[in-house]
Short mmCIF file of all heavy atoms in Angstrom, two decimals:
data_model
loop_
_atom_site.label_atom_id
_atom_site.label_comp_id
_atom_site.label_asym_id
_atom_site.label_seq_id
_atom_site.Cartn_x
_atom_site.Cartn_y
_atom_site.Cartn_z
N ALA A 3 -25.69 -5.88 34.97
CA ALA A 3 -24.96 -6.91 34.24
C ALA A 3 -25.06 -6.64 32.75
O ALA A 3 -25.95 -5.92 32.30
CB ALA A 3 -25.52 -8.29 34.56
N GLU A 4 -24.13 -7.22 32.01
CA GLU A 4 -24.16 -7.06 30.55
C GLU A 4 -23.39 -8.20 29.88
O GLU A 4 -22.63 -8.91 30.52
CB GLU A 4 -23.57 -5.72 30.12
CG GLU A 4 -22.08 -5.59 30.39
CD GLU A 4 -21.50 -4.29 29.89
OE1 GLU A 4 -21.91 -3.81 28.81
OE2 GLU A 4 -20.63 -3.76 30.57
N ILE A 5 -23.63 -8.34 28.59
CA ILE A 5 -22.87 -9.27 27.76
C ILE A 5 -21.90 -8.43 26.97
O ILE A 5 -22.30 -7.50 26.26
CB ILE A 5 -23.78 -10.06 26.79
CG1 ILE A 5 -24.81 -10.88 27.54
CG2 ILE A 5 -22.94 -10.93 25.87
CD1 ILE A 5 -24.26 -12.03 28.34
N LYS A 6 -20.61 -8.73 27.06
CA LYS A 6 -19.58 -8.02 26.31
C LYS A 6 -19.06 -8.93 25.21
O LYS A 6 -18.91 -10.12 25.41
CB LYS A 6 -18.43 -7.62 27.23
CG LYS A 6 -18.81 -6.59 28.27
CD LYS A 6 -17.60 -6.07 28.99
CE LYS A 6 -16.74 -5.31 28.06
NZ LYS A 6 -16.60 -3.91 28.26
N VAL A 7 -18.79 -8.34 24.07
CA VAL A 7 -18.19 -9.08 22.97
C VAL A 7 -16.67 -8.93 23.11
O VAL A 7 -16.15 -7.82 23.16
CB VAL A 7 -18.64 -8.53 21.60
CG1 VAL A 7 -18.00 -9.32 20.48
CG2 VAL A 7 -20.16 -8.57 21.49
N ILE A 8 -16.00 -10.07 23.23
CA ILE A 8 -14.55 -10.06 23.39
C ILE A 8 -13.86 -10.65 22.15
O ILE A 8 -12.84 -11.31 22.23
CB ILE A 8 -14.12 -10.79 24.68
CG1 ILE A 8 -14.70 -12.20 24.74
CG2 ILE A 8 -14.53 -9.98 25.91
CD1 ILE A 8 -14.16 -13.05 25.89
N LEU A 9 -14.45 -10.36 21.00
CA LEU A 9 -13.90 -10.84 19.74
C LEU A 9 -12.50 -10.29 19.49
O LEU A 9 -11.64 -11.00 18.97
CB LEU A 9 -14.84 -10.46 18.58
CG LEU A 9 -14.41 -10.90 17.19
CD1 LEU A 9 -14.27 -12.41 17.11
CD2 LEU A 9 -15.40 -10.39 16.15
N ALA A 10 -12.25 -9.06 19.88
CA ALA A 10 -10.93 -8.46 19.68
C ALA A 10 -9.85 -9.30 20.37
O ALA A 10 -8.78 -9.55 19.79
CB ALA A 10 -10.91 -7.03 20.20
N GLU A 11 -10.13 -9.74 21.59
CA GLU A 11 -9.16 -10.56 22.33
C GLU A 11 -8.93 -11.89 21.62
O GLU A 11 -7.79 -12.35 21.50
CB GLU A 11 -9.66 -10.82 23.75
CG GLU A 11 -9.74 -9.57 24.60
CD GLU A 11 -10.42 -9.83 25.93
OE1 GLU A 11 -10.42 -10.98 26.42
OE2 GLU A 11 -10.94 -8.86 26.50
N ARG A 12 -10.00 -12.51 21.15
CA ARG A 12 -9.89 -13.80 20.47
C ARG A 12 -9.08 -13.68 19.18
O ARG A 12 -8.21 -14.50 18.90
CB ARG A 12 -11.29 -14.35 20.18
CG ARG A 12 -11.32 -15.69 19.52
CD ARG A 12 -10.89 -16.77 20.47
NE ARG A 12 -11.00 -18.06 19.80
CZ ARG A 12 -10.77 -19.20 20.39
NH1 ARG A 12 -10.43 -19.25 21.65
NH2 ARG A 12 -10.89 -20.32 19.72
N LEU A 13 -9.34 -12.62 18.41
CA LEU A 13 -8.60 -12.43 17.17
C LEU A 13 -7.12 -12.16 17.44
O LEU A 13 -6.26 -12.65 16.71
CB LEU A 13 -9.22 -11.30 16.34
CG LEU A 13 -10.59 -11.57 15.74
CD1 LEU A 13 -11.06 -10.37 14.93
CD2 LEU A 13 -10.61 -12.82 14.90
N ARG A 20 -9.56 -8.54 11.34
CA ARG A 20 -11.00 -8.44 11.09
C ARG A 20 -11.30 -8.71 9.62
O ARG A 20 -12.27 -9.37 9.28
CB ARG A 20 -11.52 -7.05 11.47
CG ARG A 20 -11.58 -6.84 12.97
CD ARG A 20 -11.89 -5.41 13.30
NE ARG A 20 -10.61 -4.69 13.23
CZ ARG A 20 -10.48 -3.38 13.33
NH1 ARG A 20 -11.55 -2.62 13.47
NH2 ARG A 20 -9.30 -2.82 13.28
N LEU A 23 -11.14 -12.40 9.02
CA LEU A 23 -12.32 -13.05 9.59
C LEU A 23 -13.53 -12.84 8.69
O LEU A 23 -14.33 -13.75 8.49
CB LEU A 23 -12.61 -12.54 11.01
CG LEU A 23 -13.85 -13.12 11.67
CD1 LEU A 23 -13.79 -14.65 11.75
CD2 LEU A 23 -14.04 -12.52 13.06
N TYR A 31 -17.51 -7.00 6.48
CA TYR A 31 -16.53 -6.33 7.34
C TYR A 31 -17.19 -5.37 8.33
O TYR A 31 -16.83 -5.37 9.51
CB TYR A 31 -15.47 -5.60 6.50
CG TYR A 31 -14.44 -4.93 7.36
CD1 TYR A 31 -13.33 -5.63 7.82
CD2 TYR A 31 -14.59 -3.61 7.76
CE1 TYR A 31 -12.39 -5.03 8.64
CE2 TYR A 31 -13.65 -3.00 8.58
CZ TYR A 31 -12.56 -3.71 9.02
OH TYR A 31 -11.63 -3.12 9.84
N PRO A 32 -18.16 -4.54 7.91
CA PRO A 32 -18.80 -3.64 8.89
C PRO A 32 -19.44 -4.40 10.07
O PRO A 32 -19.40 -3.94 11.21
CB PRO A 32 -19.85 -2.89 8.07
CG PRO A 32 -19.30 -2.90 6.68
CD PRO A 32 -18.62 -4.24 6.54
N ASN A 33 -20.03 -5.57 9.79
CA ASN A 33 -20.61 -6.36 10.88
C ASN A 33 -19.51 -6.93 11.79
O ASN A 33 -19.65 -6.89 13.01
CB ASN A 33 -21.46 -7.50 10.34
CG ASN A 33 -22.87 -7.06 9.99
OD1 ASN A 33 -23.36 -6.06 10.50
ND2 ASN A 33 -23.50 -7.79 9.11
N ILE A 34 -18.44 -7.43 11.19
CA ILE A 34 -17.32 -7.94 12.00
C ILE A 34 -16.76 -6.80 12.85
O ILE A 34 -16.49 -6.98 14.04
CB ILE A 34 -16.21 -8.53 11.10
CG1 ILE A 34 -16.70 -9.78 10.37
CG2 ILE A 34 -14.94 -8.80 11.90
CD1 ILE A 34 -16.99 -10.97 11.26
N ASP A 35 -16.61 -5.63 12.26
CA ASP A 35 -16.07 -4.47 12.97
C ASP A 35 -16.96 -4.08 14.15
O ASP A 35 -16.46 -3.74 15.22
CB ASP A 35 -15.91 -3.30 12.01
CG ASP A 35 -15.11 -2.16 12.61
OD1 ASP A 35 -13.97 -2.41 13.06
OD2 ASP A 35 -15.63 -1.02 12.63
N ALA A 36 -18.26 -4.15 13.97
CA ALA A 36 -19.19 -3.81 15.06
C ALA A 36 -19.05 -4.80 16.22
O ALA A 36 -19.04 -4.39 17.38
CB ALA A 36 -20.63 -3.79 14.55
N TYR A 37 -18.92 -6.08 15.91
CA TYR A 37 -18.69 -7.08 16.96
C TYR A 37 -17.33 -6.84 17.61
O TYR A 37 -17.20 -6.88 18.83
CB TYR A 37 -18.77 -8.51 16.40
CG TYR A 37 -20.16 -9.05 16.30
CD1 TYR A 37 -20.98 -8.72 15.22
CD2 TYR A 37 -20.68 -9.89 17.27
CE1 TYR A 37 -22.27 -9.21 15.12
CE2 TYR A 37 -21.96 -10.40 17.17
CZ TYR A 37 -22.75 -10.05 16.10
OH TYR A 37 -24.03 -10.54 16.01
N TYR A 38 -16.32 -6.60 16.80
CA TYR A 38 -14.96 -6.37 17.28
C TYR A 38 -14.90 -5.21 18.28
O TYR A 38 -14.23 -5.29 19.30
CB TYR A 38 -14.05 -6.08 16.08
CG TYR A 38 -12.60 -5.87 16.40
CD1 TYR A 38 -11.73 -6.95 16.46
CD2 TYR A 38 -12.09 -4.60 16.61
CE1 TYR A 38 -10.39 -6.77 16.74
CE2 TYR A 38 -10.75 -4.40 16.88
CZ TYR A 38 -9.90 -5.49 16.95
OH TYR A 38 -8.58 -5.31 17.22
N LYS A 39 -15.62 -4.15 17.97
CA LYS A 39 -15.63 -2.95 18.82
C LYS A 39 -16.71 -2.99 19.89
O LYS A 39 -16.90 -2.02 20.62
CB LYS A 39 -15.79 -1.71 17.96
CG LYS A 39 -14.59 -1.48 17.04
CD LYS A 39 -14.80 -0.29 16.16
CE LYS A 39 -13.58 -0.06 15.27
NZ LYS A 39 -13.82 1.02 14.29
N ASP A 40 -17.41 -4.12 20.00
CA ASP A 40 -18.49 -4.30 20.99
C ASP A 40 -19.53 -3.18 20.87
O ASP A 40 -19.96 -2.60 21.85
CB ASP A 40 -17.91 -4.37 22.40
CG ASP A 40 -18.91 -4.86 23.44
OD1 ASP A 40 -19.94 -5.45 23.05
OD2 ASP A 40 -18.68 -4.64 24.64
N ARG A 41 -19.94 -2.91 19.65
CA ARG A 41 -20.90 -1.84 19.39
C ARG A 41 -22.23 -2.39 18.86
O ARG A 41 -22.92 -1.70 18.11
CB ARG A 41 -20.33 -0.85 18.39
CG ARG A 41 -19.19 -0.05 18.95
CD ARG A 41 -18.77 1.02 18.00
NE ARG A 41 -17.71 1.83 18.59
CZ ARG A 41 -16.90 2.58 17.92
NH1 ARG A 41 -17.03 2.68 16.61
NH2 ARG A 41 -15.97 3.27 18.53
N ILE A 42 -22.56 -3.59 19.24
CA ILE A 42 -23.83 -4.15 18.79
C ILE A 42 -24.79 -4.22 19.97
O ILE A 42 -24.38 -4.37 21.12
CB ILE A 42 -23.66 -5.55 18.17
CG1 ILE A 42 -22.98 -6.50 19.14
CG2 ILE A 42 -22.89 -5.48 16.87
CD1 ILE A 42 -23.02 -7.92 18.71
N SER A 43 -26.06 -4.08 19.68
CA SER A 43 -27.05 -4.15 20.76
C SER A 43 -27.88 -5.42 20.67
O SER A 43 -28.48 -5.83 21.66
CB SER A 43 -27.96 -2.92 20.72
OG SER A 43 -28.59 -2.82 19.46
N ARG A 44 -27.89 -6.05 19.50
CA ARG A 44 -28.62 -7.31 19.32
C ARG A 44 -27.70 -8.30 18.62
O ARG A 44 -27.05 -7.97 17.64
CB ARG A 44 -29.86 -7.11 18.47
CG ARG A 44 -30.90 -6.26 19.14
CD ARG A 44 -32.09 -6.10 18.23
NE ARG A 44 -33.03 -5.19 18.83
CZ ARG A 44 -34.24 -5.53 19.23
NH1 ARG A 44 -34.67 -6.74 19.05
NH2 ARG A 44 -35.04 -4.65 19.78
N PHE A 45 -27.70 -9.51 19.14
CA PHE A 45 -26.86 -10.55 18.57
C PHE A 45 -27.64 -11.29 17.48
O PHE A 45 -28.77 -11.70 17.69
CB PHE A 45 -26.42 -11.54 19.65
CG PHE A 45 -25.59 -10.90 20.71
CD1 PHE A 45 -26.16 -10.53 21.92
CD2 PHE A 45 -24.25 -10.65 20.50
CE1 PHE A 45 -25.41 -9.93 22.90
CE2 PHE A 45 -23.48 -10.05 21.48
CZ PHE A 45 -24.05 -9.69 22.68
N ASN A 46 -27.01 -11.45 16.35
CA ASN A 46 -27.61 -12.19 15.25
C ASN A 46 -27.09 -13.63 15.32
O ASN A 46 -25.89 -13.86 15.29
CB ASN A 46 -27.23 -11.54 13.92
CG ASN A 46 -27.84 -12.26 12.75
OD1 ASN A 46 -27.40 -13.35 12.38
ND2 ASN A 46 -28.86 -11.66 12.17
N THR A 49 -24.89 -14.73 12.38
CA THR A 49 -23.57 -14.08 12.42
C THR A 49 -22.68 -14.75 13.45
O THR A 49 -21.52 -15.05 13.17
CB THR A 49 -23.71 -12.57 12.73
OG1 THR A 49 -24.50 -11.96 11.70
CG2 THR A 49 -22.36 -11.89 12.80
N LEU A 50 -23.22 -15.00 14.64
CA LEU A 50 -22.44 -15.68 15.68
C LEU A 50 -22.01 -17.07 15.21
O LEU A 50 -20.87 -17.48 15.44
CB LEU A 50 -23.24 -15.80 16.97
CG LEU A 50 -23.36 -14.53 17.81
CD1 LEU A 50 -24.32 -14.75 18.97
CD2 LEU A 50 -22.00 -14.09 18.31
N ILE A 53 -19.13 -16.73 12.66
CA ILE A 53 -17.88 -16.34 13.33
C ILE A 53 -17.30 -17.55 14.06
O ILE A 53 -16.10 -17.83 13.98
CB ILE A 53 -18.11 -15.16 14.28
CG1 ILE A 53 -18.40 -13.88 13.49
CG2 ILE A 53 -16.91 -14.95 15.20
CD1 ILE A 53 -18.85 -12.70 14.33
N PRO A 61 -19.54 -19.89 21.26
CA PRO A 61 -19.97 -18.53 21.53
C PRO A 61 -19.36 -17.95 22.82
O PRO A 61 -19.03 -16.76 22.87
CB PRO A 61 -21.50 -18.64 21.64
CG PRO A 61 -21.83 -19.80 20.78
CD PRO A 61 -20.68 -20.77 20.97
N ASP A 63 -16.51 -18.22 23.82
CA ASP A 63 -15.13 -17.78 23.58
C ASP A 63 -15.07 -16.34 23.07
O ASP A 63 -14.01 -15.71 23.12
CB ASP A 63 -14.44 -18.70 22.57
CG ASP A 63 -14.28 -20.11 23.09
OD1 ASP A 63 -14.12 -20.29 24.31
OD2 ASP A 63 -14.32 -21.04 22.26
N ILE A 64 -16.20 -15.83 22.58
CA ILE A 64 -16.21 -14.46 22.06
C ILE A 64 -17.23 -13.57 22.77
O ILE A 64 -17.31 -12.38 22.50
CB ILE A 64 -16.44 -14.43 20.54
CG1 ILE A 64 -17.75 -15.11 20.15
CG2 ILE A 64 -15.26 -15.04 19.80
CD1 ILE A 64 -18.12 -14.98 18.69
N LEU A 65 -18.01 -14.15 23.69
CA LEU A 65 -18.97 -13.40 24.49
C LEU A 65 -18.66 -13.61 25.96
O LEU A 65 -18.28 -14.70 26.37
CB LEU A 65 -20.40 -13.87 24.21
CG LEU A 65 -20.91 -13.76 22.78
CD1 LEU A 65 -22.29 -14.37 22.67
CD2 LEU A 65 -20.93 -12.32 22.32
N GLU A 66 -18.86 -12.56 26.75
CA GLU A 66 -18.55 -12.65 28.17
C GLU A 66 -19.66 -12.00 28.99
O GLU A 66 -20.08 -10.88 28.69
CB GLU A 66 -17.22 -11.95 28.43
CG GLU A 66 -16.76 -11.95 29.87
CD GLU A 66 -15.41 -11.27 30.02
OE1 GLU A 66 -15.31 -10.07 29.72
OE2 GLU A 66 -14.48 -11.95 30.43
N TYR A 67 -20.13 -12.70 29.99
CA TYR A 67 -21.13 -12.16 30.92
C TYR A 67 -20.39 -11.39 32.00
O TYR A 67 -19.50 -11.92 32.66
CB TYR A 67 -21.93 -13.32 31.53
CG TYR A 67 -22.84 -12.90 32.67
CD1 TYR A 67 -24.01 -12.20 32.42
CD2 TYR A 67 -22.52 -13.21 33.97
CE1 TYR A 67 -24.84 -11.82 33.46
CE2 TYR A 67 -23.34 -12.84 35.02
CZ TYR A 67 -24.51 -12.14 34.76
OH TYR A 67 -25.32 -11.77 35.79
N VAL A 68 -20.75 -10.12 32.17
CA VAL A 68 -20.09 -9.28 33.15
C VAL A 68 -21.15 -8.75 34.12
O VAL A 68 -22.08 -8.08 33.72
CB VAL A 68 -19.36 -8.08 32.49
CG1 VAL A 68 -18.71 -7.21 33.54
CG2 VAL A 68 -18.34 -8.58 31.48
N LYS A 69 -20.99 -9.10 35.38
CA LYS A 69 -21.91 -8.63 36.42
C LYS A 69 -21.21 -7.54 37.22
O LYS A 69 -20.10 -7.73 37.69
CB LYS A 69 -22.30 -9.78 37.34
CG LYS A 69 -23.35 -9.43 38.35
CD LYS A 69 -23.79 -10.64 39.13
CE LYS A 69 -24.85 -10.25 40.13
NZ LYS A 69 -25.31 -11.39 40.92
N GLU A 70 -21.87 -6.40 37.32
CA GLU A 70 -21.31 -5.28 38.08
C GLU A 70 -21.39 -5.59 39.57
O GLU A 70 -22.43 -6.05 40.06
CB GLU A 70 -22.06 -4.00 37.79
CG GLU A 70 -21.86 -3.48 36.39
CD GLU A 70 -22.63 -2.21 36.13
OE1 GLU A 70 -23.02 -1.53 37.11
OE2 GLU A 70 -22.86 -1.89 34.96
#
Side-chain angles (χ1 to χ4, degrees):
E4 67 177 323
I5 300 292
K6 293 189 66 113
V7 180
I8 54 172
L9 180 59
E11 294 172 25
R12 182 70 177 185
L13 291 181
R20 287 171 277 173
L23 178 58
Y31 181 86
N33 277 338
I34 294 293
D35 191 56
Y37 276 81
Y38 182 88
K39 294 177 179 174
D40 193 17
R41 292 187 177 160
I42 56 169
S43 57
R44 293 179 185 245
F45 298 99
N46 181 286
T49 300
L50 283 173
I53 290 171
D63 295 328
I64 58 174
L65 301 175
E66 180 178 62
Y67 171 74
V68 179
K69 186 174 181 181
E70 291 179 20

